[in-house]
Amino acid sequence: MSIISGSTRSWALASHNNARRRTGPSPLPGASRALATLVVALATVLITGEVERVKRCPAEDCGWVFWDSTKNRSRRWCSMQVCGNRNKARTFASRNRPSQGRTA
């Protein structure tokens, strides 16, 4: 099962083969809806057995967990724009920093 549409006013669930489809107004407000979305995601992981796709962001200052939807399961960061970029900038700066004791 996967969530096809997740607007705040409507919802749609479908099985992977799209044999059954239900749509309608969202019966849950705010936090209850967020919790229901997490429950559906957890059920999807348990049903499909793809637990290895659930990963934790390796950034030291980030605690996010994310779903790796890449074909070869190689996604590393929760967000390349934030955590991935910070790490790449940090690595670049350390590579290009003049080392102690060296003169130009």
Side-chain angles (χ1 to χ4, degrees), residues 28-58:
L28 302 172
S32 296
R33 179 172 166 71
L35 181 59
T37 302
L38 288 173
V39 169
V40 169
L42 177 61
T44 301
V45 168
L46 294 174
I47 290 168
T48 62
E50 293 184 323
V51 177
E52 67 276 355
R53 287 192 178 269
V54 177
K55 296 182 178 179
R56 184 183 179 281
C57 183

Side-chain angles (χ1 to χ4, degrees), residues 53 55 68-75:
R53 287 192 178 269
K55 296 182 178 179
D68 182 359
S69 59
T70 59
K71 193 173 190 178
N72 63 356
R73 297 177 181 151
S74 62
R75 182 172 164 187

Side-chain angles (χ1 to χ4, degrees), residues 15 20 29-30 35 42-43 47 49 56 59 71 76 84-86 89 91:
S15 63
R20 283 194 263 171
L35 181 59
L42 177 61
I47 290 168
R56 184 183 179 281
K71 193 173 190 178
R76 185 168 177 196
N85 185 49
R86 272 193 235 149
T91 302

Side-chain angles (χ1 to χ4, degrees), residues 2-21:
S2 61
I3 296 176
I4 293 176
S5 171
S7 72
T8 56
R9 295 180 185 213
S10 66
W11 56 273
L13 296 176
S15 63
H16 285 291
N17 62 4
N18 288 329
R20 283 194 263 171
R21 182 174 281 196

